[in-house]
């Protein structure tokens, strides 16, 4: 019993250590995204002591897109995504086991000690997933902020009226901004869950297996069939 307890304790510590590393990486990504969103604002750039430039030239737009791409790729990517996907799969597996136990006998579900252990693990994993989902969602909002490009387009239109001799040059920059806006919209991947990377396999497992299990539990408890 002592050896079993020590093994569980070590495995639990290792797993939650990896989750803390993933959360720290997500915090760093959010910090980079926050500072990146302040680059085009003179007041916020002065407040956080970071460089400032306006998107009024093609060269500036190129630098802005390159910096955005560099910051999104900075730091560990695949390893953190593997950890987050593992957490998500483990949470789904525990949820599926709990649903199966409830379908087997919901009146005696809480009598078993291992069911309580499953519930504690599920609660802890869900808290981490909610934290990571919140950080990932805020990071994506900072990087996908199209209002910066729209504001620069409005400024260009106003400059065209004041400086008609530079209309051709400003029109070129405006067209580049429009293409950049379309590019940022196309870069959003379809398999995203509040900022967490979701591959098609995890997405299909979630939609088919887990929702079916939850549907069976709800149907068994309420007494009528429900299709999710």
């Amino acid at each position: 019993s002592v050896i079993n307890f020590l093994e569980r304790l070590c495995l639990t510590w290792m797993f939650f250590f990896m989750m803390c590393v993933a959360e720290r990486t997500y915090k760093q990504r959010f910090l980079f995204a926050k500072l990146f969103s302040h680059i085009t604002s003179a007041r916020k750039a002065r407040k956080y002591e970071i460089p400032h430039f306006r998107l009024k030239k093609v060269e500036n737009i190129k630098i802005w897109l390159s910096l955005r791409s560099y910051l999104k790729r900075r730091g560990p990517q695949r390893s953190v995504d593997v950890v987050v996907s593992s957490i998500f799969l483990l949470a789904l597996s525990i949820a599926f086991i709990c649903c199966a136990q409830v379908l087997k006998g919901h009146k005696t579900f809480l009598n078993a000690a291992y069911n309580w252990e499953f519930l504690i693990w599920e609660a802890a994993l869900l808290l981490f997933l909610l934290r990571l989902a919140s950080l990932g969602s805020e990071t994506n909002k900072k990087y996908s902020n199209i209002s910066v490009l729209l504001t620069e387009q409005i400024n260009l239109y106003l400059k065209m009226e004041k400086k008609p001799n530079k209309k051709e040059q400003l029109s070129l920059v405006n067209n580049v901004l429009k293409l950049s806006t379309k590019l940022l919209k196309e870069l959003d991947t379809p398999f995203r869950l509040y900022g967490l990377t979701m591959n098609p396999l995890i997405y299909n497992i979630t939609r088919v297996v887990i929702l079916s299990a939850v549907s069976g539990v709800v149907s068994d408890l309420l007494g009528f069939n429900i299709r999710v």
Side-chain angles (χ1 to χ4, degrees):
S1 299
V2 174
I3 294 176
N4 189 15
F5 173 77
L6 291 177
E7 287 180 350
R8 287 192 180 189
L9 184 63
C10 292
L11 291 175
T12 303
W13 179 84
M14 291 174 60
F15 196 80
F16 278 91
F17 175 76
M18 290 190 297
M19 287 195 291
C20 290
V21 172
E23 183 182 5
R24 181 183 178 186
T25 304
Y26 270 65
K27 287 181 179 179
Q28 290 179 348
R29 291 179 183 178
F30 174 69
L31 177 61
F32 294 150
K34 180 181 178 180
L35 295 178
F36 174 76
S37 64
H38 297 338
I39 287 178
T40 55
S41 174
R43 179 179 58 83
K44 293 181 179 179
R46 193 183 309 111
K47 177 181 178 182
Y48 291 95
E49 298 180 354
I50 57 177
H52 164 67
F53 59 88
R54 299 289 299 276
L55 303 180
K56 57 183 180 180
K57 296 180 180 180
V58 178
E59 292 79 6
N60 292 356
I61 299 174
K62 185 188 298 185
I63 294 173
W64 188 80
L65 292 174
S66 301
L67 182 61
R68 179 183 184 273
S69 178
Y70 170 76
L71 291 178
K72 290 195 71 173
R73 294 196 309 266
R74 191 177 186 277
Q77 297 289 331
R78 184 174 298 180
S79 58
V80 174
D81 290 339
V82 168
V83 172
V84 176
S85 299
S86 302
I87 296 171
F88 192 80
L89 284 175
L90 182 59
L92 291 181
S93 301
I94 294 176
F96 180 76
I97 294 173
C98 291
C99 291
Q101 293 292 332
V102 171
L103 288 175
K104 186 177 180 180
H106 60 272
K107 293 183 179 180
T108 59
F109 174 74
L110 297 178
N111 294 336
Y114 59 85
N115 287 333
W116 281 100
E117 186 177 356
F118 281 143
L119 291 177
I120 294 173
W121 267 92
E122 185 70 13
L125 294 176
L126 286 179
L127 288 176
F128 264 95
L129 284 176
L130 288 175
R131 176 61 176 165
L132 295 179
S134 176
L135 289 172
S137 178
E138 292 297 326
T139 302
N140 284 343
K141 287 180 181 179
K142 297 293 183 181
Y143 281 125
S144 303
N145 191 5
I146 309 298
S147 61
V148 175
L149 301 179
L150 296 177
T151 303
E152 294 294 339
Q153 290 183 33
I154 294 175
N155 293 332
L156 286 176
Y157 282 120
L158 295 176
K159 284 185 179 180
M160 287 180 189
E161 295 182 356
K162 294 181 179 179
K163 300 178 180 179
N165 56 332
K166 294 184 178 181
K167 187 175 182 180
E168 183 177 354
Q169 180 182 357
L170 295 175
S171 298
L172 176 62
V173 178
N174 187 40
N175 292 333
V176 175
L177 284 175
K178 289 181 180 180
L179 292 175
S180 301
T181 304
K182 293 181 180 180
L183 177 63
L184 294 184
K185 291 180 180 179
E186 292 293 333
L187 287 177
D188 293 334
T189 56
F191 294 103
R192 286 273 175 181
L193 181 64
Y194 293 104
L196 300 179
T197 304
M198 299 284 291
N199 58 47
L201 177 61
I202 298 179
Y203 179 78
N204 291 327
I205 291 176
T206 305
R207 197 174 69 175
V208 177
V209 179
I210 302 302
L211 291 182
S212 299
V214 173
S215 175
V217 171
V218 174
S219 302
D220 182 69
L221 293 177
L222 298 181
F224 54 87
N225 294 327
I226 295 178
R227 290 185 179 182
V228 181

